[in-house]
Amino acid sequence: MSPFIFAAALFAAPAAQSADTLPVPHAYLEALEAGTRSRSGAPGEAYWQQQVDYRIQTELLPQELMVTGSETITYHNRSPNRLNQIWINLPQNVFAAGNPRNRQVSLTGGFTLERVVAQGAEIDVAPRRPGRSLPTVLAIALPTELAPGDAAQIEIDWHFIVPEGAFRMGREGDGLFFLAQWYPHIAVFDDVRGWSQDPYMGDGEFYLEYGDYEVEITAPEGWLVSASGVLQNPDEVLRPAAADRLRGISRDMITHVVSRADRDSGLSTAEAGADGTLTWRYVARNVRDFAWGSSAAYVWDATMAQYSNDQGLAQSAAIHTLYRPEQPNWSRAAEFARHSIEAHSFWYPYPYPQMTVDEGVIGGGMEYPMITIVGGGRTALSLYSVISHELAHMWWPMVVGSNERRHAWMDEGLASFSEDLFTPTLFPEAAGGLGSMLGYLRRAGTDSETESMRPADLYGPFGNRGLASYGKPATVFRSLRAILGKPLFDQAMRTYVRRWAFKHPTPLDLFHTYEDVSGQDLDWFFYPWLYTTRVLDQAIVGVEEGEDGITVLLEDRGEIPMPVLLQVMTAGGERLTAQFGVDVWVDGRAELDVAIEGDVTQVVIDANEDFPDVNRGDNTWTAGR
């Protein structure tokens, strides 16, 4: 049986809407029956979610290019299920020989698991065949079944060689490291799909449970360490002057916590003991992952972002940027990060106490809770754009914990949309979403396009992941904002974020929240845009004059019916805009009456370019031509 059904008869739509005609997984229908999901798009009364807490001690050994670690995991079973096994993600094993991947990587061997203990009993996790590597997701049997409401402890000791210049994490030589996918962590067990067993192949990103982290990071003297969470012992790892500067940061200025002069004078950190190392202690609460970076080449800037919470009260978060000062425009990175956190808090107040931006390792950017890595060597606008995009991810998927591996567009598309929306507020010359649209239009409807509603590892070659999960969904939500109007669209987005903050939504929860808030059936919109590669092509085929105005004759030459946005201009300089609903189309044609006085000189479809029409050459009618 197909895992999907078209639920026109089986799925009751929200109030004042028609029956749902989107593909609905059987597992989602079962979640509705169980009361963990609701038809409005909000979590159901019986919604549940696991929690996983981590205590980790780790050490960076730059000369050996190695990271070692020892962790204790506490797994809280909040589900109604009795569990006899737990699945563990081993993402470093994408760098181990024999594992499937869809990106070229250097083979470093992945994790070496030195010890695995579950519920006090040692577990044998050696590969079944000699010479083979462990996979990127691994099931371990629990010695004692885990009942609902109980917790289990798992201990793992491990080490790995850090790959050079890898995608999303890695190192530059032996002088700069960014550590992500760096520790074994527990896979998600949710109310819709049960255990998430999708392997990490390189393209698809991550899906993780929320929990608390206490992490001790040991690094050589002189190496600054940045991380998810809040530094607990600045007086132990920084010089007194730097620790004082860190405590005194404000929004009014950029504070050089560790300056270039400090770095060049060997004053980046406190003096170490006999072993030449310092241990940095970080704590992060209610996050779905933890990452960190370290380099002796960094300087450290800081400031404060300020914004309002839901009660209108002032709220703030510390902003940290660590970078090599030789990189152009990075002296503005703290300003850019501050602006981004404040701007994106339009959707939901940034909930964490700090945000860090590290420079280096990769060409683009990659996000983790409270920290991101961004490649250096950029123009000011390019640097801001990447920082803004990566910090938008603090909302999607760090606060709204969607499954990136299954539905990459839910985080990349919404982050791109938000980046497009707010970039012009600091850089008025920015395209403000037209760049995303043009990127989509270059390949819209061609053989190199794949639908957005596809697992990220199955997008295929030719850069399809970027098209399907970034530019196209950003464009789609730009169009939806034009259809619903900014106030209603924004209310729906804010409702979605608040409903699913620190939870695990599916695409249907997003779609039905928009329908619930707007009071409209939007299946006609979401299905063709996100489930197919159909295109939009509206065309004016003629204009007829009447006694009270004009009749505009249109053809729908694409396969996606959309509302019609018209702009009509007269010889006297009058400019009239009119919006017609999607229901004006009959057999691919529409005749739209526009009441207007005076001689009409021009009629334009979608003059503001809110919709991604693949052929704008037929969107304009000019009198006398």
Side-chain angles (χ1 to χ4, degrees), residues 374-583:
V374 175
R378 297 179 174 275
T379 66
L381 174 56
S382 172
L383 179 60
Y384 172 81
S385 296
V386 178
I387 289 175
S388 179
H389 179 91
E390 302 310 328
L391 269 56
H393 280 305
M394 297 306 113
W395 284 259
W396 308 281
M398 302 310 163
V399 169
V400 181
S402 57
N403 186 340
E404 300 175 85
R405 202 161 295 168
R406 286 273 164 162
H407 307 294
W409 67 267
M410 290 184 71
D411 65 291
E412 298 296 358
L414 293 182
S416 297
F417 165 76
S418 198
E419 171 201 346
D420 290 344
L421 188 64
F422 296 121
T423 295
T425 64
L426 190 62
F427 289 87
E429 70 273 21
L434 292 180
S436 291
M437 183 185 294
L438 292 174
Y440 159 66
L441 289 174
R442 277 193 288 270
R443 284 184 287 163
T446 68
D447 290 342
S448 66
E449 184 189 359
T450 54
E451 64 275 9
S452 295
M453 286 288 292
R454 176 184 291 205
D457 288 309
L458 300 180
Y459 280 137
F462 314 119
N464 288 339
R465 176 176 169 271
L467 179 66
S469 61
Y470 290 75
K472 181 177 180 179
T475 300
V476 167
F477 279 86
R478 170 189 167 94
S479 297
L480 184 59
R481 197 170 191 238
I483 292 169
L484 296 180
K486 294 177 182 179
L488 186 56
F489 175 96
D490 295 347
Q491 179 189 353
M493 184 64 78
R494 290 188 179 115
T495 300
Y496 168 65
V497 176
R498 281 158 179 76
R499 284 177 171 180
W500 289 99
F502 311 107
K503 299 181 178 69
H504 297 314
T506 71
L508 289 171
D509 301 311
L510 171 59
F511 300 155
H512 293 130
T513 293
Y514 264 88
E515 292 185 326
D516 181 48
V517 172
S518 69
Q520 301 177 37
D521 180 355
L522 296 172
D523 292 1
W524 60 267
F525 178 86
F526 289 122
Y527 180 78
W529 281 116
L530 295 174
Y531 289 81
T532 79
T533 57
R534 301 171 189 171
V535 298
L536 170 69
D537 183 10
Q538 297 178 350
I540 301 177
V541 296
V543 174
E544 298 177 352
E545 296 184 4
E547 293 184 3
D548 299 320
I550 58 172
T551 299
V552 183
L553 309 178
L554 303 175
E555 284 184 358
D556 187 348
R557 296 172 177 172
E559 298 176 286
I560 299 184
M562 285 279 279
V564 180
L565 309 178
L566 288 182
Q567 178 178 276
V568 181
M569 287 157 283
T570 69
E574 183 180 0
R575 188 185 302 264
L576 174 70
T577 58
Q579 178 170 325
F580 299 85
V582 69
D583 56 350

